[in-house]
Amino acid sequence: MKQEIIIAGFGGQGVLSMGKILAYSGLIEGKEVTWMPAYGPEQRGGTANVTVIVSDEEISSPILSTYDTAIILNQPSMEKFEKTVKPGGTLIYDGYGINIPPTRTDINIYRVDAMDVAAKMNLIKIFNMILLGSYLKLHPIVQIESVLKALKKTLPERHHHLIPQNEEAIKTGMDLVK
Amino acid sequence: MADQEITLMKGNEAIAHAAIRCGCDGYFGYPITPQSEVLETLAEQKPWETTGMVVLQAESETSSINMVYGGAGCGKKVMTSSSSPGISLMQEGLSYMAGCEIPCLVVNVSRGGPGLGTIQPSQADYFQSCKGGGHGDYHLIVLAPSSVQETADFVDLAFELAFKYRNPAMILSDGVIGQMMEKVVLPPFKPRRTEEQILKECPWAATGRPKTRKPNVITSLELDPAKMEEINIRIQKKYAEIQEKEVRFEEFMLEDAEYAICAFGSAARIAKKAIEDARKEGIKVGLLRPITLWPFPYKEIEALSHKVKGILSLEINAGQMVEDIRLAVNGRIPVNHYGRLGGIIPAPDEVVNELKKMM
């Protein structure tokens, strides 16, 4: 098993932390993982993206030009990364940030209205976890239990009381894809 | 067994943790992207409260390297880290330390240049790291990690080599290795050396003169050129010994290879992916990865040039290590270079295309 994933959106949307939690979940299950951010003058409102690889075997390059899955949260990232999904791969996008939907027919495209659902549920800050849930429904590369353990590891203790909300968000995301 | 815990961290964070764990006495540095996490992690870990390690943000890189110079002169295990333009500011200090034959560790998490350049990854500091950078006939011992684990492991190794040969050592990382998170098992804790140990292991150090010995003078200056030549000859002998004994490299899929890629650090990771892809197309290619950039694996590459039909030097620069490869190959087979510049990282498929051009 090897999944090469790009997560891309605006800075502040939780792109890097979604990737970090996914990578940590892989680590908890004894898998090989890399997490490579496109760092730069990124800041809230600018674009941010991260490449996460989760694999049963040693990972060669942490930087790729094509991906098994793209999780896309804004229009600039759609323009940049729709074309990088491997044929037969997966593209998940949040309808809220996208004016021009993807058009490729050789990949599996899922629109998940995570931002709208998060707003209704008062979970806006963790809408990235809804998308992570959707992704894990389609590609169950790690167990939900591992994600919860990863949250415990990566969140500072003062935020641990939010873990049940994160779990709820992940489960919501799983229900949003069929 | 808490020491053996597998964690996920950035290369830069691993440097800080490894420094504390290997008994480092002092870190002096100045923030610069993409290495700022080194100083940030040290500040977060507060080793001055545990091991007693000093962590100080200096007012500039020039100041950092001279604080390192002072600490090293006292036999202390001291280090600094920076990124390309900051490392340029340190060159005078590095030349002095090599001239005085005192040990230290300098980490360069390099970025795209020249000048202020970009903050994205680059390997354009190969020449600066391996061919001087400062003035005079000197070398740094240069280690190039290609994973977060190696980054952590090389901190202790670099200090060991620096003290063994009384010479500054450098870890040449870049924005990929520094910013990437990977699994890492941090090295076990080693206590900092006691004053007695320093007196015993560093008899050359300025530790306060007892009446029983002459003053230890740490200087790179001799007014008499004959004496200066003697010192230079002694230093060159030491470099010859390092070249003989301390070359480190990794071979990957070279057994049946008809072509080879030579790459170090982050470029070697991209090369491995390119090799996996090329082999799916039936191209027999492998990798020779220099781990020590100085001393450079000349002999190993010379031997390789008798086995393969061509070598591609993959570097994230305009072609620097390729000069050393060509020296080793001495015209026997074609040696090409491929690289991207200014902070752009070559993609594995670009590398496969370059390989095909050689065939």
Side-chain angles (χ1 to χ4, degrees):
Chain A
M1 187 285 300
K2 185 176 185 186
Q3 265 275 309
E4 298 172 336
I5 306 145
I6 179 97
I7 309 170
F10 287 123
Q13 281 184 313
V15 167
L16 299 186
S17 47
M18 189 188 341
K20 188 173 172 183
I21 290 159
L22 184 57
Y24 230 111
S25 312
L27 175 140
I28 285 167
E29 296 189 6
K31 294 180 162 65
E32 296 300 323
V33 294
T34 59
W35 176 95
M36 181 71 224
Y39 67 92
E42 269 89 0
Q43 53 189 330
R44 189 171 297 215
T47 58
N49 71 70
V50 63
T51 303
V52 177
I53 308 175
V54 181
S55 172
D56 290 329
E57 279 158 37
E58 195 185 315
I59 297 165
S60 50
S61 177
I63 291 165
L64 305 164
S65 43
T66 58
Y67 308 90
D68 298 313
T69 297
I71 302 174
I72 294 177
L73 308 185
N74 67 5
Q75 191 64 44
S77 303
M78 183 66 83
E79 278 150 29
K80 197 167 171 191
F81 293 112
E82 179 186 358
K83 55 181 177 284
T84 64
V85 179
K86 293 178 199 170
T90 305
L91 190 160
I92 301 169
Y93 73 100
D94 187 289
Y96 184 78
I98 307 293
N99 314 319
I100 309 161
T103 53
R104 277 178 66 179
T105 51
D106 61 336
I107 57 174
N108 302 303
I109 296 174
Y110 299 88
R111 174 178 165 151
V112 177
D113 287 327
M115 188 52 107
D116 291 345
V117 174
K120 273 181 211 144
M121 295 172 69
N122 210 15
L123 290 175
I124 282 192
K125 278 192 180 165
I126 49 174
F127 100 108
N128 58 348
M129 290 294 106
I130 298 181
L131 285 156
L132 182 63
S134 304
Y135 170 72
L136 289 174
K137 173 79 179 288
L138 297 165
H139 296 282
I141 54 168
V142 291
Q143 305 291 316
I144 303 302
E145 292 71 45
S146 310
V147 179
L148 298 177
K149 276 187 205 162
L151 281 165
K152 217 170 181 178
K153 278 246 176 196
T154 53
L155 287 176
E157 204 142 322
R158 66 179 191 277
H159 290 150
H160 279 190
H161 68 281
L162 297 172
I163 291 174
Q165 276 188 29
N166 278 273
E167 187 176 5
E168 193 191 342
I170 292 168
K171 288 187 171 149
T172 304
M174 295 182 102
D175 293 338
L176 285 176
V177 289
K178 296 284 167 318
Chain B
M1 292 303 285
D3 281 356
Q4 286 302 304
E5 196 193 348
I6 301 171
T7 52
L8 190 70
M9 65 172 72
K10 291 185 174 191
N12 287 343
E13 294 165 342
I15 288 167
H17 286 282
I20 298 167
R21 283 168 175 254
C22 79
C24 181
D25 294 306
Y27 171 96
F28 309 92
Y30 188 79
I32 180 172
T33 307
Q35 70 78 54
S36 295
E37 293 85 357
V38 181
L39 182 52
E40 284 169 11
T41 307
L42 286 168
E44 214 172 76
Q45 293 294 315
K46 298 190 177 83
W48 54 90
E49 289 177 0
T50 51
T51 70
M53 174 184 175
V54 172
V55 178
L56 191 70
Q57 179 175 331
E59 67 268 40
S60 71
E61 290 85 349
T62 314
S63 177
S64 310
I65 194 69
N66 283 295
M67 289 177 178
V68 168
Y69 189 3
C74 302
K76 298 283 185 184
K77 236 180 184 181
V78 286
M79 68 179 287
T80 183
S81 65
S82 189
S83 179
S84 310
I87 298 289
S88 290
L89 289 169
M90 295 180 183
Q91 293 304 324
E92 181 194 39
L94 284 170
S95 170
Y96 273 68
M97 291 177 81
C100 294
E101 295 187 83
I102 53 175
C104 73
L105 168 60
V106 176
V107 181
N108 181 3
V109 186
S110 63
R111 61 195 240 177
L116 200 53
T118 59
I119 57 176
Q120 277 75 29
S122 162
Q123 297 183 319
D125 297 353
Y126 177 91
F127 281 155
Q128 187 195 52
S129 314
C130 301
K131 312 276 177 189
H135 58 281
D137 276 320
Y138 81 96
H139 281 292
L140 305 177
I141 298 166
V142 184
L143 298 165
S146 86
S147 65
V148 175
Q149 185 65 57
E150 275 192 348
T151 308
D153 294 342
F154 286 179
V155 172
D156 187 51
L157 175 63
F159 270 124
E160 290 294 320
L161 292 171
F163 273 85
K164 182 172 176 189
Y165 295 103
R166 286 180 56 185
N167 199 70
M170 174 175 274
I171 294 179
L172 182 59
S173 174
D174 66 30
V176 175
I177 304 297
Q179 292 296 324
M180 168 174 61
M181 286 204 293
E182 278 191 309
K183 276 160 70 164
V184 60
V185 177
L186 291 171
F189 275 101
K190 263 201 314 207
R192 285 174 53 229
R193 290 176 308 163
T194 60
E195 294 300 325
E196 291 70 35
Q197 281 170 316
I198 292 175
L199 282 176
K200 204 171 139 228
E201 290 167 26
C202 307
W204 45 267
T207 45
R209 183 167 76 97
K211 290 206 168 74
T212 49
R213 68 161 165 83
K214 284 187 179 161
N216 282 339
V217 179
I218 292 176
T219 179
S220 55
L221 171 74
E222 277 297 341
L223 290 174
D224 177 2
K227 262 194 182 156
M228 198 66 227
E229 188 182 41
E230 256 175 52
I231 293 170
N232 266 285
I233 289 170
R234 189 183 70 229
I235 291 176
Q236 291 304 320
K237 263 192 188 158
K238 178 173 81 176
Y239 290 153
E241 188 190 345
I242 297 172
Q243 181 71 55
E244 187 61 36
K245 291 183 181 165
E246 302 297 348
V247 169
R248 286 165 170 80
F249 62 97
E250 181 201 357
E251 290 181 321
F252 175 75
M253 292 194 164
L254 277 177
E255 301 77 25
D256 64 341
E258 291 174 357
Y259 291 87
I261 299 177
C262 248
F264 69 90
S266 57
R269 298 287 294 266
I270 295 156
K272 282 185 180 175
K273 174 81 174 173
I275 289 165
E276 289 165 9
D277 293 348
R279 281 192 172 257
K280 281 181 202 154
E281 296 184 38
I283 303 168
K284 288 185 177 167
V285 56
L287 170 75
L288 193 145
R289 173 172 74 95
I291 292 172
T292 48
L293 300 183
W294 195 87
F296 190 74
Y298 290 108
K299 274 188 198 162
E300 292 70 18
I301 290 173
E302 199 259 328
L304 182 66
S305 74
H306 292 280
K307 284 181 4 200
V308 297
K309 295 176 193 163
I311 296 177
L312 177 67
S313 183
L314 174 66
E315 305 168 60
I316 312 177
N317 60 37
Q320 301 191 10
M321 181 175 73
V322 67
E323 292 189 3
D324 282 319
I325 298 170
R326 286 187 179 135
L327 271 179
V329 169
N330 203 11
R332 253 180 307 280
I333 53 168
V335 178
N336 287 5
H337 165 265
Y338 183 68
R340 297 291 301 266
L341 311 176
I344 300 286
I345 302 162
D349 54 330
E350 294 169 38
V351 182
V352 176
N353 286 340
E354 286 304 311
L355 271 174
K356 286 178 184 164
K357 282 187 202 164
M358 290 199 83
M359 296 169 64

